[in-house]
Amino acid sequence: MAGTNRVDELRLGLEATRERIDHACQQAGRSSNDVTVVVVTKTYPVSDVEILQELGVTDVGENKDQEAGPKREQMTHQGLRWHAVGQVQSNKAKTVTQWADVVHSVDRVSLVKAFDRVVVPTPIQALVQVSLDGDPDRGGCMIADLAVVAEALAGSSTLSLAGVMAVAPLGVEPSRAFGDLWNISQRLQGAFPQATWISAGMTQDFEAAIAAGATHVRIGSAILGNRA
Ligand SMILES: *Cc1c(COP(=O)(O)O)cnc(C)c1O
């Protein structure tokens, strides 16, 4: 069980992170209200997620279907919005719909088709993950394929196109990578005005992402500590 110390640890982690976010927003001339913090709780126990909820967190992120489903089920209180932030295998589409309210990592038409075989009460918000350096190993579609994936999402009844997501490539200045993502998002919004979300930035680089217009930052270790 989590003791008082864990409550204090998480409170301090959240406070420090919110201060950094407020500062980054101020520097960028943006309102903190325009940036949603998705607290990435992967590898941490349900007890941590419950503490975070009590501390006012509204959005949590998980990257593994087999971990996230049981965690959500074990929650004492519902009400959190759960984000799938990791790569999704097509054969997991059905189980992902059972716990995720948002999927950040839709990167191929075949995955949209797999989701379309699942009937859901309300469409799940979905982001097209873009590979900013063209390295397929880290997930994300090629920039050249963005339009066709977005088109598939726009026609989906299970998923609803909400925007774009990226991870800063290794060895690239994050501000440059996130600037590229902002341009990609602007172009996409020309065709799909509803695609306003930009999910970018993690513990190491979220200030650069906020400066470049991120609407959702995905932060784990700055709040929960370094994962084992
Ligand atoms: C783990 C993870 C994060 C959070 O990473 P931290 O460095 O712990 O903030 C963000 N996005 C994705 C896709 C992740 O897998």
Side-chain angles (χ1 to χ4, degrees):
M1 287 305 298
T4 323
N5 290 346
R6 189 57 176 153
V7 176
D8 289 343
E9 268 171 25
L10 292 178
R11 181 185 288 115
L12 289 174
L14 270 178
E15 281 172 4
T17 301
R18 285 191 177 132
E19 261 172 43
R20 284 173 60 186
I21 290 169
D22 287 348
H23 186 250
C25 284
Q26 232 165 39
Q27 297 284 105
R30 303 182 60 199
S31 160
S32 311
N33 296 331
D34 296 338
V35 177
T36 300
V37 185
V38 178
V39 182
V40 180
T41 49
K42 64 187 182 198
T43 78
Y44 285 97
V46 179
S47 53
D48 279 0
V49 186
E50 295 192 317
I51 293 170
L52 289 165
Q53 185 175 27
E54 292 214 342
L55 293 172
V57 166
T58 55
D59 293 81
V60 293
E62 289 282 337
N63 74 336
K64 286 206 173 67
D65 175 66
Q66 64 271 29
E67 176 184 350
K71 268 163 99 168
R72 182 165 186 168
E73 256 180 29
Q74 287 160 39
M75 293 290 293
T76 312
H77 302 288
Q78 288 300 322
L80 285 177
R81 196 150 38 153
W82 291 71
H83 298 247
V85 302
Q87 285 175 256
V88 179
Q89 291 171 284
S90 294
N91 63 3
K92 296 290 171 60
K94 187 182 169 82
T95 47
V96 167
T97 63
Q98 290 162 359
W99 62 268
D101 302 296
V102 184
V103 180
H104 287 232
S105 39
V106 177
D107 59 4
R108 57 198 189 280
V109 172
S110 59
L111 181 58
V112 180
K113 289 188 172 150
F115 274 109
D116 276 344
R117 288 192 282 272
V118 186
V119 176
V120 291
T122 41
I124 294 170
Q125 281 167 305
L127 308 179
V128 184
Q129 183 177 351
V130 183
S131 169
L132 295 173
D133 63 353
D135 178 353
D137 287 350
R138 309 182 66 228
C141 68
M142 299 301 110
I143 292 168
D145 296 331
L146 172 68
V148 64
V149 179
E151 194 76 53
L153 277 177
S156 169
S157 46
T158 305
L159 301 174
S160 152
L161 174 64
V164 293
M165 179 274 217
V167 177
L170 299 170
V172 176
E173 191 59 45
S175 55
R176 220 193 82 200
F178 296 140
D180 289 348
L181 183 63
W182 190 82
N183 286 323
I184 289 166
S185 167
Q186 292 303 109
R187 280 204 302 276
L188 184 65
Q189 287 181 60
F192 303 100
Q194 75 272 34
T196 53
W197 294 16
I198 303 176
S199 167
M202 322 192 341
T203 290
Q204 294 303 328
D205 54 23
F206 70 77
E207 278 107 338
I210 288 171
T215 61
H216 291 67
V217 291
R218 310 176 308 269
I219 303 179
S221 39
I223 295 168
L224 290 119
N226 290 321
R227 289 176 296 275

